[in-house]
Each structure stands twice: as structure tokens, then as C-alpha cells.
Amino acid sequence: MAHVIIVRGAASTGRYGQAMAETETDAVSENRMKRKPRAANAPPAAGSGMRVRSAAKNSDIVYRDLHKAIVTMELTPGAPVLERKLTEQYGVSRTPVREAVLRLVEDGLVEVAPKSGTFVARIPLSVVREALVARRALEEVTVRAATELSSESQIMQMRAIIQHQQEMADAGDEEAFHQADDKFHASIAAAARYPGIWKMIQQVRIQVERYRRLTLPQNGRMPMVVKEHTAVLDAMAARDADAAVARMNEHLDKLQLDISIFRDLWPDYFAIDPSLDEKLFAGK
Amino acid sequence: MAHVIIVRGAASTGRYGQAMAETETDAVSENRMKRKPRAANAPPAAGSGMRVRSAAKNSDIVYRDLHKAIVTMELTPGAPVLERKLTEQYGVSRTPVREAVLRLVEDGLVEVAPKSGTFVARIPLSVVREALVARRALEEVTVRAATELSSESQIMQMRAIIQHQQEMADAGDEEAFHQADDKFHASIAAAARYPGIWKMIQQVRIQVERYRRLTLPQNGRMPMVVKEHTAVLDAMAARDADAAVARMNEHLDKLQLDISIFRDLWPDYFAIDPSLDEKLFAGK
DNA sequence: GAAAATTAACTGGTATACAAGATATATCAG
DNA sequence: CTGATATATCTTGTATACCAGTTAATTTTC
């Protein structure tokens, strides 16, 4: 995972093409001076595919890696994020590293103390509480729409995903189990035709995810999750939206059981939240 | 609005203190070489107030200005965002400007074509549709909690806000009207003690806001909004959560009337969305 | 020894320079 | 005059250098 050197482009900063612009005659250069500066680029056409083939920037790579490391608790809350170290590990300059860090700040996964240091953000308990509420609300509309819109093939695919999740639970592969979990909820969102809302759910899940990484190993919740997923899917297959919503809510409610316990177990991982008013009006 | 020069810090890059490190004796410098490099900074304490006094960076200023300009349709969809021009307007270098632009990309308000240009993002209609659904879901839980938790003084404050909004509607001051509208919904979120969810609502609102800026001048909707707000508040004051939710939903539903009409009126402002699958699985 | 003052080395924020790709304009062929 | 080619100049992405603030280690003072 660590010490991955990015070699896209010229890693060794060779100064080729350094003596080329000097070999021009005055006549030609004068001719070139007559060019008018070109106008600003036109925006891409409206109806066109709006193809933005973004060629995987270095900052994206750093961002994804760090994001994953933080969410999986590989980097624990409070751990320092050293820009210098990252530049060495990835073989890139500070700029893309900095961009990645800034995006993580936007996600609420890291915090920066201006001239002091950057650290993996602690888990604000009130945010976890709210995230659970928000996710419930969003998954509710999603599963309701999916119950109406999902095709039979999509239902079958979900059954396969649940089966796979069962197998991973039996094998005790937590990582694969998580991935299957993610895939199940994603397929619901896909069936509901709510890609944007799924994005929001993911964003919210991230905040809860780190917390869940602590809770899940505790009790043997993995088989229960599979059962709950099955209940949701059964209701969807029966085209009973209300039941599907109810099962989903029951499923999600299982997470918010014992926050205080874990705060006592890993006190350094959680943060006391600032006052509500402050957060509310910090934006403007 | 434009051409605001930021003068925080030294604008004229004076090279003071350029000849200072040279005047040391060898003995002293040798002594200093014996210092061990200090350890990495410690993360801020867990229980402490987590005070991150971020001193309003230049990039924040640029971000806020651009954000506002885009949301208010002062910068129309498809308009180019020239980093060069912004550096001149604000008197700062490209770095903070670039940070601001990247944050706006994260918000979905601008799009960058890698080596070509940066433009104000068009409004993807499907995003608007989803945003309306998501906002409905989130405002629902918010207004429900607010109905239970709001104090009498908070109710009174909301009445004052509505009254103010009425006055602004009468005066025809659209900008102030919008602000009052924002304040009303914000106060509901505050009463519900859901600062995080309010943040999400705001994020979602932004996508709809630009669309709404086009629709609102059309019909005389301002007085109707005030009435709808009053209905919501009345239900809250009566502590009738279900009614409050119903009134809020009615209020929000008024927005999604006629998307197609506006797409035909300003075709260049809207974008055809890529396929759903693409968006869903673009993340991983 | 212990506490206060000093100082050096770290940090993130910013400025600037360079590289590589994309595009509008100029040039040229028919 | 029209269409294809070329090229200058624009753009963003990246690298590097510098500044100011913070902090830990050291030194000084009592």
C-alpha cells in the first residue's frame, strides 16, 4: 500500500528541449509578433456528450489512497498526515499532495492546523448521529423508488450479491464483506435511478464507516446483516414498498446502538463537538 | 464586486531579511549541528475544544465570491472561469485561486477541461430532479424534529423571519427575499439540532438554487412562498409534526413543476446527463 | 534542579516557473 | 473563396522556492 511511486510522465525531471527557441531569425519572429492573441476557449457544447476525459491526475491517486486508508482505519484518527512524507512516497511534488489533502478536508476526513500540522480527523459523535438520520432518510426514498422501478434481473443480481456476502461472512473476510455490503446498497440506488442520492449516501456513510469499523468486529453482526438485507430484498421482490422501507429502517437502526461504549473504549478517536450554533452559522 | 484586491500580508514581495544567516561563527554553527531534529507535531488533544482558528485564507475569499456569483447566476452556465483573470482581480497568485476553483469543482459548480479551460458548470437536469427528492427527504426529518424540539422563542423568531420575508416580497427585493427564505429553513434546522443535515440541505439547495433563479422571476411566486412558510410554521406551533411535514412537502413540491419549459427557454444552461451507470460506478 | 527564555527546525500558505496538451488563428493549397 | 495544415498562444497540471507562524528541543537563569 505504501511507498508506491508514481511514474506517469517524466519522473526524472530531465531538461530536454532547453535550447530551441533561440535559433530564430528576426524576420520570422517579427512576422509572428503580428499575430493577435487568440480569444478565450469556447465552453464545450451544451448538447454534446460533455466528455471530460480527465486523465487520472496524480492528485487523484494520492486522494484515493489516503481516503481509503482513513476510512478503513488504517490511518487512525489523530494520526499526522505529513505532506513531505507523501511527496517522497509517491514521487510527486507538494502541489498534487496538497490538492488531495484539501479534498480530504472537504470530506471531513482530515483537519489542518494552519502552520502546525495536518491530522486525520477524529470522529465527531454528533456527526455520526446525524449521519445515521440522514442516511435513513435518503435510503428510504431510494429503496421506495427501487421497489417500484427495479427489474427482475436487478432483483436477481441483488440476490447474488447477498449470497456472495453470506459466503464472505462465512469465510470471515471482513473486507470483502464490506464491499458486498456496499454493492448491495449501491444496486438499490442504481435500480432507483438515483445516482446523485447514492453519492450523497456514500458521503454520509463515510462518516459512519470509520465508526462501524470499530463496532463490527465486536459482536458477530455479519450474519445478521445478511438476514436484514434478505428481508429488504424480499419486500422489494414482493413490490411492497412500505415493507421494504420498514426493513431497511430496521437494518439501519441496528447501527446506532451503543455509541457511548465505543467512545469510552477509544476516547482518542472521537471528538467533542463544538456548539451547534457555531457550526450552523460558520458557513456565512 | 469585481476587482477587489486582497492586501492581507505583504502584497509587494519585499526581500527583507535576505542576508542574515551568513553571519555565524563556525563554533556556534557546529554546536547547532548537534541538535536532533524535533519530533513530528503532536495532534491536538482529543477533549480539547479542537480550536482550529483558521485565519481566512485568500483561497477562501476567492471561493466565497465565485460561489456566490455562480449561485446567483451572475456567472451563467458555460461562462469561462479564467484563473489568470482572477489572479489579477484579487491580486493573489494562482495557487489560492486554483484551490478555490478545485473546491467549486467539488461542489459541482464548475467543470475543468484538463488542458483547455475551466467553465461554470451547466445545470444537469437529472441532478436537479434528484436534488429535489433528496431535499424533500432531508427537510422532512428536519421539520419533524424541529416540531418536537423547537422552543417558543424559536417559533417566535421564525414568525419574525416570515414577516420580514413578506415585507421583502412586497418591496420586490428578490435578493433579500432569498436570504429570508434561507434563514427560515436554517432556523428550522437549528431548532431540530441538525447542523450537519442542514449543511447537506444547503449543498443540495445549491444545485436547485440556480435553477430556481430562473423560475422565480417568472410567475409571482414570492407571496405564495410566504403563505406556504406560514402554513409550515403554524403546524409546528401546534406541535403537529405530520401536518408540518405535509405542509413542507407541499411547499417543496411547488418547485418541480416545469423543468422542460425552462430547458427550452435556456437550452445552453442545461446539460444532458451521462448514463446512470457511468455516474454510479465512476467512484470506484 | 526547575522554570523561563531562546532558538532551530518543522509546518502549511503563497508565489513563481516550467511542462505538456488543446485550440483558435494564420497560412497555404486547390 | 473554401478546406486542410501548421503554429503560436492559450490553458491547466506540476515542480520548486520562499515566507510566516508554530512548536519542540535547547539553553539560560534563578
Side-chain angles (χ1 to χ4, degrees), chain B residues 221-248:
Chain B
R221 246 192 71 72
M222 286 201 285
M224 289 181 59
V225 168
V226 174
K227 273 194 180 177
E228 292 158 16
H229 280 187
T230 304
V232 172
L233 184 53
D234 286 344
M236 286 178 60
R239 306 298 176 183
D240 187 342
D242 289 333
V245 167
R247 296 297 92 73
M248 178 63 84

Side-chain angles (χ1 to χ4, degrees), chain A residues 1-282:
Chain A
M1 169 57 66
H3 289 279
V4 179
I5 306 291
I6 300 173
V7 289
R8 216 171 43 79
S12 60
T13 56
R15 297 293 178 83
Y16 56 89
Q18 55 186 351
M20 279 183 61
E22 310 277 342
T23 63
E24 292 177 1
T25 69
D26 286 343
V28 175
S29 70
E30 180 183 313
N31 198 2
R32 282 172 184 166
M33 290 298 283
K34 289 178 182 175
R35 282 179 188 273
K36 296 175 186 175
R38 79 176 175 88
N41 284 348
S48 79
M50 190 61 106
R51 264 278 157 276
V52 181
R53 58 267 173 262
S54 58
K57 293 169 289 189
N58 288 347
S59 63
D60 293 334
I61 301 172
V62 179
Y63 170 76
R64 281 189 210 283
D65 282 3
L66 279 180
H67 188 280
K68 184 175 180 182
I70 293 174
V71 171
T72 61
M73 296 293 271
E74 186 182 331
L75 288 176
T76 58
V81 177
L82 301 178
E83 289 188 3
R84 178 83 176 283
K85 196 173 185 180
L86 291 171
T87 62
E88 293 172 1
Q89 282 187 0
Y90 287 90
V92 298
S93 84
R94 263 189 68 200
T95 308
V97 170
R98 189 169 166 66
E99 284 183 12
V101 169
L102 288 177
R103 285 172 66 182
L104 292 169
V105 169
E106 210 77 3
D107 294 341
L109 291 180
V110 313
E111 296 175 353
V112 344
K115 297 289 175 57
S116 173
T118 305
F119 309 94
V120 177
R122 291 193 177 74
I123 306 171
L125 285 179
S126 80
V127 166
V128 172
R129 188 180 61 89
E130 282 188 72
L132 290 167
V133 174
R135 185 184 170 188
R136 232 183 94 135
L138 293 175
E139 295 254 23
E140 182 168 323
V141 300
T142 302
V143 75
R144 189 177 292 278
T147 302
E148 288 185 16
L149 297 174
S150 60
S151 67
E152 286 301 323
S153 64
Q154 283 173 320
I155 300 265
M156 290 171 67
Q157 262 191 326
M158 294 183 205
R159 288 232 183 272
I161 291 169
I162 290 179
Q163 174 62 25
H164 179 69
Q165 192 178 24
Q166 172 72 58
E167 293 164 8
M168 293 305 104
D170 293 340
D173 188 337
E174 266 188 41
E175 195 52 41
F177 178 86
H178 278 307
Q179 283 180 11
D181 188 282
D182 196 70
K183 213 169 179 180
F184 176 69
H185 289 274
S187 58
I188 291 178
R193 319 271 170 82
Y194 282 153
I197 292 181
W198 171 239
K199 222 173 175 179
M200 293 180 65
I201 292 174
Q202 274 184 310
Q203 221 171 355
V204 160
R205 260 166 69 95
I206 286 166
Q207 291 298 334
V208 188
E209 186 65 16
R210 299 199 293 165
Y211 165 73
R212 196 173 74 161
R213 292 270 172 172
L214 295 175
T215 72
L216 203 120
Q218 290 268 324
N219 34 28
R221 246 193 72 69
M222 286 201 285
M224 288 181 60
V225 167
V226 174
K227 273 194 180 179
E228 291 157 17
H229 281 186
T230 304
V232 172
L233 184 53
D234 286 343
M236 286 177 61
R239 306 298 176 183
D240 187 342
D242 290 333
V245 168
R247 297 297 92 73
M248 177 62 84
N249 280 339
E250 288 167 12
H251 171 47
L252 296 178
D253 283 344
K254 291 290 173 57
L255 274 174
Q256 62 184 4
L257 290 180
D258 32 24
I259 283 185
S260 60
I261 294 176
F262 294 97
R263 183 189 52 197
D264 295 341
L265 277 179
W266 297 278
D268 285 347
Y269 287 2
F270 298 98
I272 310 296
D273 301 295
S275 79
L276 293 176
D277 298 326
E278 206 165 337
K279 275 196 141 178
L280 266 177
F281 302 110

Side-chain angles (χ1 to χ4, degrees), chain B residues 59-61 74 76 127 195 213 238 270 282:
Chain B
S59 64
D60 294 333
I61 301 172
E74 187 181 331
T76 58
V127 166
R213 292 270 172 172
F270 299 98

Side-chain angles (χ1 to χ4, degrees), chain B residues 84-261:
Chain B
R84 181 81 177 281
K85 195 173 182 179
L86 291 171
T87 62
E88 293 172 3
Q89 283 186 1
Y90 287 90
V92 300
S93 84
R94 264 191 67 200
T95 308
V97 169
R98 190 168 166 67
E99 285 183 11
V101 169
L102 289 176
R103 284 171 67 183
L104 291 169
V105 169
E106 209 77 3
D107 294 340
L109 291 181
V110 313
E111 296 174 352
V112 351
K115 295 287 172 57
S116 173
T118 305
F119 309 94
V120 176
R122 290 195 176 73
I123 307 171
L125 285 179
S126 80
V127 166
V128 171
R129 188 179 62 87
E130 283 188 72
L132 290 167
V133 174
R135 187 185 168 187
R136 234 182 92 136
L138 293 175
E139 294 252 25
E140 181 167 325
V141 299
T142 302
V143 75
R144 189 176 293 278
T147 302
E148 288 185 16
L149 296 173
S150 59
S151 66
E152 287 301 326
S153 64
Q154 283 173 321
I155 300 267
M156 290 171 67
Q157 262 192 325
M158 294 183 204
R159 287 229 183 274
I161 292 169
I162 290 179
Q163 175 61 27
H164 179 69
Q165 193 177 23
Q166 172 72 61
E167 293 164 7
M168 292 305 103
D170 292 340
D173 188 338
E174 267 187 40
E175 195 50 42
F177 179 86
H178 278 307
Q179 284 181 9
D181 188 280
D182 195 71
K183 214 169 177 180
F184 176 70
H185 289 274
S187 58
I188 291 178
R193 319 271 169 83
Y194 281 153
I197 292 181
W198 171 239
K199 224 172 174 178
M200 293 179 66
I201 293 174
Q202 275 185 308
Q203 221 172 355
V204 160
R205 261 166 68 94
I206 286 167
Q207 292 297 334
V208 187
E209 185 66 15
R210 299 199 293 165
Y211 165 72
R212 197 174 74 162
R213 292 270 172 172
L214 294 175
T215 72
L216 203 119
Q218 291 267 325
N219 34 30
R221 246 192 71 72
M222 286 201 285
M224 289 181 59
V225 168
V226 174
K227 273 194 180 177
E228 292 158 16
H229 280 187
T230 304
V232 172
L233 184 53
D234 286 344
M236 286 178 60
R239 306 298 176 183
D240 187 342
D242 289 333
V245 167
R247 296 297 92 73
M248 178 63 84
N249 280 339
E250 289 166 12
H251 171 47
L252 296 177
D253 283 344
K254 290 290 173 59
L255 274 175
Q256 62 184 5
L257 291 180
D258 32 25
I259 284 184
S260 60
I261 294 178

